[in-house]
Amino acid sequence: MTTDRRTFIAAGAGMLGLAAARPVLAAEDRLFPVVETAEGKVRGVASGGVAVFKGLRYGADSSGANRFLPPQPVTPWAGIQDAFDYGNIAPQIPGNRRHVYADLILNDLQPGGMGEDCLVLNLWTPEANANRKRPVIVRFHGGGFYGGSSNNPGGDGEMLARFGDCVVVTVNHRLSSLGYLYLGDEGPFADSGAAGMADLVASLRWVARNVEAFGGDPARVMIIGQSGGGAKVSHLMAMPSAKGLFSSAGVMSGSALTSMTRDQADKAAAQLLQRLGLRRDQVKELQAVPFTTLLAAQADVEAEERRRGEAPRSFAPVLGEAIPHHPFTPGAPAESRDIPLVVSTVLDERTYRETRFDMTWDEVLSTLQKRVGDDAQMLLSAYRDETPAATPFIINARIASDTYFRLAANTMLERRVAAGGAPTWSYLWEAPSPAFDGRYGATHGIDVAYSMHDIRFPLAGPSRDNVRLADEIAGAWVALAAAGDPNNPKTPTWPAYDLKDRSTLVIGHPSRAEKDPRGFFREYWGKRAAARAAGG
């Protein structure tokens, strides 16, 4: 039997094609890895040895009939879903660029579009291999409980995943009235005032189910957040539903001691419903209101609070079944007693809110006199002696930082240590930002880029010292995630915090561990706060 010459050539060409296809397919698997999650298969993209999966769903669309309810499960899918692009950010009133600080944190850059289908997370991994069991760092974004997203450039986890050989996860969730509107104590909406926090618990459950397939260790999950993200971590530490879903935690410049009470939340809800012309029992109608209308009404409520001289705090986590007690009042929560914790602040937090760059010393003294009376001159001298080269603008902001951010952090540290349990560490970031020739000092958020081991951002910048600082703080976070202790070869020896030595890692030039740094100011403002609480 003879073989047709053309058939032979065609068969040979087909075999060559198959041979050529195998390396192409192997390259495709490397560049576009596919991971099977509990809900279905997803395809990411790899570059520089790190694979990224964006817009992964951990909850269903929260609009319409799901609005104000606890997060609903994702419907499983067949086939492969591409995870190349960011998902929605939560509906919010966007940031603007009129304030220079907003530019420094790239606050206007929130890709992904705005919408209620925002229960999504992003994941970076050096290798999507279920056998690797790398430590996992889950980061919750700042912006209070009203704004921001994990899609911001500052939430990019590639550099940290590569530096720490770890899996990095960032999370979007419901904010403002869509996440924290209190609708009463009974029925399906009884915990609507904690829906946004329930979202974060759902994201951690997704991690527990799925992170192993991406090369992560579900038994070594650290949760961390700065500013509003720190407040979210504070609340998760007190939520029974979150217990067992994380093994260590970091609260950066966001120590939240209390939640909103139902009375406070009821007042905010009544104001919003009045603006919308709806009664409390008209929940179906409220679910049908466009989110743009809801946000506009919310903005009106908050503007009215400002006109009354009140600080807007209309929509934040509300006590209820999900959050049965305040996070750190009157003491540290028992739910997270066994969780190693790092609590931090930066030296000049409040410069991010201040705009009076040309303040005079007389103006600082006058402001201080209104607050402390006859102690003003003594106290101002102490602040000036601490940093002789500091401007009035910096000192005025540092005073505000000590009476808000640092006071809350010190209280959290004290209550945590007094309760016993797992160790707690403290750090103080004092290295100033080079932005605008150091005008902002060590401002709020300065440690975020370094913690992500990504110094390209305006508050940091490429320099040898900044690489060192990033190595130190990112190294500490990776060590905490991996072993429950932030000590690592990149940082000086860092003792745990106690009420005797109050050892703190001061991150600066150079970084060093100190006993009770700035103890005079801690004691002074702590005593005044205690006197106010006692009615004195």
Side-chain angles (χ1 to χ4, degrees), residues 368 375-386 399 402 410 502 515-528:
L368 201 49
D375 286 351
Q377 187 60 66
M378 174 276 297
L379 200 57
L380 180 56
S381 296
Y383 275 102
R384 295 188 68 175
D385 288 345
E386 180 186 30
I399 292 167
D402 282 343
N410 288 337
R502 300 180 185 271
K515 293 182 179 180
D516 199 14
R518 309 188 70 250
F520 169 78
F521 301 110
R522 176 190 60 77
E523 287 187 358
Y524 181 87
W525 292 114
K527 287 176 181 177
R528 290 192 69 88

Side-chain angles (χ1 to χ4, degrees), residues 147-168:
S149 81
S150 286
N151 300 1
N152 177 275
D156 189 292
E158 178 179 342
M159 303 301 282
L160 181 58
R162 183 179 294 111
F163 167 79
D165 192 29
C166 59
V167 176
V168 179

Side-chain angles (χ1 to χ4, degrees), residues 370-418:
K370 294 173 184 175
R371 179 173 284 178
V372 302
D374 293 341
D375 286 351
Q377 187 60 66
M378 174 276 297
L379 200 57
L380 180 56
S381 296
Y383 275 102
R384 295 188 68 175
D385 288 345
E386 180 186 30
T387 311
T391 64
F393 167 76
I394 287 284
I395 294 301
N396 183 65
R398 191 174 298 175
I399 292 167
S401 304
D402 282 343
T403 58
Y404 178 60
F405 288 99
R406 206 124 41 234
L407 182 62
N410 288 337
T411 302
M412 176 179 279
L413 286 163
E414 290 171 358
R415 290 175 179 174
R416 166 81 179 189
V417 171

Side-chain angles (χ1 to χ4, degrees), residues 181-206:
L181 179 65
Y182 174 66
L183 293 172
D185 294 337
E186 298 179 357
F189 303 99
D191 240 359
S192 59
M197 289 305 307
D199 293 345
L200 299 186
V201 174
S203 75
L204 292 174
R205 287 179 177 150
W206 185 97

Side-chain angles (χ1 to χ4, degrees), residues 309-441:
E310 302 172 8
R313 197 196 175 202
S314 298
F315 303 104
V318 181
L319 293 175
E321 184 177 350
I323 308 172
H325 53 80
H326 292 298
F328 279 82
T329 296
E335 289 86 349
S336 53
R337 188 177 186 275
D338 59 342
I339 298 297
L341 172 67
V342 169
V343 179
S344 74
T345 62
V346 304
L347 187 58
D348 305 310
E349 301 269 12
R350 185 68 189 184
T351 56
Y352 85 116
R353 287 284 191 191
E354 304 292 336
T355 57
R356 289 287 313 282
F357 303 115
D358 60 349
M359 282 192 81
T360 66
W361 290 118
D362 285 343
E363 288 173 322
V364 178
L365 181 62
S366 176
T367 301
L368 201 49
Q369 284 171 335
K370 294 173 184 175
R371 179 173 284 178
V372 302
D374 293 341
D375 286 351
Q377 187 60 66
M378 174 276 297
L379 200 57
L380 180 56
S381 296
Y383 275 102
R384 295 188 68 175
D385 288 345
E386 180 186 30
T387 311
T391 64
F393 167 76
I394 287 284
I395 294 301
N396 183 65
R398 191 174 298 175
I399 292 167
S401 304
D402 282 343
T403 58
Y404 178 60
F405 288 99
R406 206 124 41 234
L407 182 62
N410 288 337
T411 302
M412 176 179 279
L413 286 163
E414 290 171 358
R415 290 175 179 174
R416 166 81 179 189
V417 171
T424 304
W425 292 266
S426 171
Y427 80 74
L428 170 65
W429 186 284
E430 70 169 19
S433 168
F436 291 94
D437 299 318
R439 180 172 74 185
Y440 286 91

Side-chain angles (χ1 to χ4, degrees), residues 68-98:
F68 307 125
L69 285 175
Q72 301 300 299
V74 174
T75 302
W77 61 87
I80 301 173
Q81 288 192 355
D82 288 338
F84 299 156
D85 298 316
Y86 289 113
N88 281 171
I89 70 168
Q92 58 192 268
I93 299 168
N96 66 75
R97 300 182 64 182
R98 289 183 296 176

